[in-house]
Amino acid sequence: MRGEGSGLALTTFEPKITAIIPAYNCRGLLDHSLPPLLQMKRQGEICEVIVVDDGSSDGTAETALSLGAQVVSCEQRRGPAHARNQAAQVSLGEILWFVDADVVAHSDAARQILGVLNNHYAAVFGSYDDAPRARNFFSQYKNLVHHYYHQKIRGDVSSFWAGCGAVWKQIFLNVGGFDAVRYPRSSVEDIELGYRLKEAGGRIRHVPELQGTHLKVWTSWKLLTSEIRDRAIPWTFLLLARGRISDELNISVTERFRAVLAWTLPFSAALSLTGVTPWWTFAAFLSLAFAASLELFALFKRRNGMAFALGAILFHQFYYIYSTVVFCFCWIIVKVASLKPSSATLTEDSESGLSVPIDKV
């Protein structure tokens, strides 16, 4: 059957699912993430589990084979986008289920995927659960924020997430798969794929019940590097190139309002400290910022207590501030590039992670 007006073929029979895991030097992670998938295979819920060894040097391929997965090996590291594309080409399933190597899928994940994709959808994705394994501050903060944003959305979306997301194989191939040239390392290749799926007429659904436990350990440096270099900068250029910003996830209108509130904090603090305004001015804006993120604060508190919740909400205000700075920085670059006679378009520099005018590459 075809999605109405989409031109994208969708089948109605019980399809086969191929689980695809891109892996680079993550031998220890596979001991946790592969067993649930292999159990689903034994139960007949998925037909194969393919691990793509992206040029690892730690025995990742050998570990995957010993656990019972199929292995596709890349001679050199080319990033998860390329790895997923390689597996898609040799997969047997009609559905491609992408799972990160550091995600332990819940036991009902395959059933959640089938329930949606058999109902006229091109793709589906879920979220991390609210119980990340790593207990340090930044791991808990990062994973709970991701869980919060993904659990807030319901129904059809315009994006995609490859941490635990599935798509019909034929539709995936029809739109060209992940853009491995533009995204040679883990970045926003899944979001960009989602935009192309949507533009091709496919429907994408987020399912809150489709979840996995995240194993990654985040440090402050890893978090900021990933958030700014690998996410905020390329995502902003992608949004600016599209000419529109979706009202969903962490770029929704509500989130933009919260970012404005976050920016009042350093200014009101400076004014209060210099005596220009009374002390309670800063306290009032801080209270407003906390009130605007009360649901997130409640999640932080429920999972890790009051002290963590207070620290995490304060750090989240910093997230709003640096995200706004990145957006403005990218916007200026785009505006300057548009003033040049060559009308240069933007492409991503694979070395720096920044998008630059294409005639300067």
Side-chain angles (χ1 to χ4, degrees):
M1 179 172 288
R2 292 179 178 272
E4 185 176 348
S6 70
L8 297 174
L10 301 178
T11 69
T12 55
F13 61 87
E14 191 70 12
K16 296 179 181 178
I17 300 176
T18 293
I20 296 174
I21 305 95
Y24 175 73
N25 284 351
C26 53
R27 179 182 60 185
L29 294 173
L30 295 179
D31 289 330
H32 302 281
S33 58
L34 278 183
L37 299 175
L38 294 168
Q39 178 62 25
M40 292 178 206
K41 180 185 175 184
R42 286 190 289 271
Q43 294 171 176
E45 295 181 347
I46 62 179
C47 67
E48 60 183 346
V49 179
I50 300 177
V51 173
V52 188
D53 178 25
D54 193 25
S56 301
S57 58
D58 70 340
T60 288
E62 291 77 8
T63 297
L65 284 170
S66 69
L67 290 170
Q70 298 171 235
V71 173
V72 173
S73 295
C74 302
E75 293 183 0
Q76 59 183 352
R77 189 180 186 187
R78 297 183 62 181
H82 175 266
R84 298 185 192 107
N85 288 345
Q86 291 294 105
Q89 293 292 335
V90 300
S91 62
L92 299 177
E94 290 86 13
I95 292 174
L96 306 177
W97 177 20
F98 302 110
V99 185
D100 282 348
D102 58 6
V103 172
V104 181
H106 286 194
S107 60
D108 65 343
R111 297 190 294 275
Q112 295 286 349
I113 289 169
L114 281 177
V116 173
L117 293 187
N118 275 333
N119 194 28
H120 309 290
Y121 279 92
V124 60
F125 67 93
S127 72
Y128 298 138
D129 62 23
D130 63 351
R133 296 281 178 88
R135 297 302 305 169
N136 65 306
F137 175 85
F138 289 105
S139 296
Q140 289 290 310
Y141 164 79
K142 173 65 174 172
N143 288 285
L144 290 176
V145 165
H146 180 282
H147 174 81
Y148 169 77
Y149 282 129
H150 278 229
Q151 291 296 303
K152 289 284 289 182
I153 57 176
R154 293 290 189 275
D156 289 17
V157 293
S158 62
S159 183
F160 184 68
W161 180 54
C164 185
V167 59
W168 288 100
K169 176 180 178 178
Q170 193 56 56
I171 294 175
F172 176 82
L173 296 177
N174 287 347
V175 300
F178 291 101
D179 190 341
V181 175
R182 187 177 186 181
Y183 302 107
R185 62 167 174 261
S186 180
S187 183
V188 295
E189 71 278 0
D190 47 2
I191 296 174
E192 191 272 340
L193 172 66
Y195 291 159
R196 281 189 282 120
L197 288 171
K198 192 74 173 178
E199 289 166 359
R203 296 175 64 194
I204 306 171
R205 186 173 182 86
H206 172 262
V207 177
E209 296 78 16
L210 175 57
Q211 296 186 23
T213 302
H214 200 199
L215 305 177
K216 185 167 185 174
V217 178
W218 290 97
T219 63
S220 59
W221 177 250
K222 282 184 180 179
L223 186 149
L224 291 173
T225 301
S226 174
E227 285 283 286
I228 296 174
R229 185 195 66 183
D230 298 332
R231 302 287 292 180
I233 291 176
W235 195 1
T236 300
F237 279 124
L238 182 59
L239 291 171
L240 293 172
R242 296 178 74 231
R244 61 188 183 278
I245 300 177
S246 305
D247 184 19
E248 60 190 19
L249 294 169
N250 50 339
I251 56 173
S252 67
V253 173
T254 302
E255 285 299 292
R256 292 171 231 170
F257 170 72
R258 288 169 177 153
V260 172
L261 278 180
W263 270 100
T264 66
L265 299 180
F267 286 109
S268 61
L271 292 174
S272 296
L273 289 172
T274 56
V276 176
T277 59
W279 66 268
W280 52 261
T281 304
F282 170 71
F285 280 115
L286 183 61
S287 298
L288 282 174
F290 268 65
S293 299
L294 201 56
E295 288 185 2
L296 180 58
F297 177 82
L299 173 63
F300 287 152
K301 182 176 181 294
R302 184 170 69 252
R303 295 304 304 172
N304 291 299
M306 179 62 76
F308 172 85
L310 291 171
I313 282 294
L314 284 174
F315 185 82
H316 202 55
Q317 306 313 304
F318 176 55
Y319 152 79
Y320 285 128
I321 290 172
Y322 70 68
S323 297
T324 306
V325 169
V326 168
F327 185 89
C328 293
F329 168 74
C330 295
W331 182 85
I332 291 171
I333 289 179
V334 169
K335 287 300 179 182
V336 170
S338 68
L339 296 176
K340 294 183 178 181
S342 61
S343 298
T345 56
L346 293 174
T347 186
E348 183 165 308
D349 181 343
S350 62
E351 295 299 321
S352 68
L354 296 176
S355 293
V356 295
I358 198 167
D359 61 350
K360 300 298 182 185
V361 176

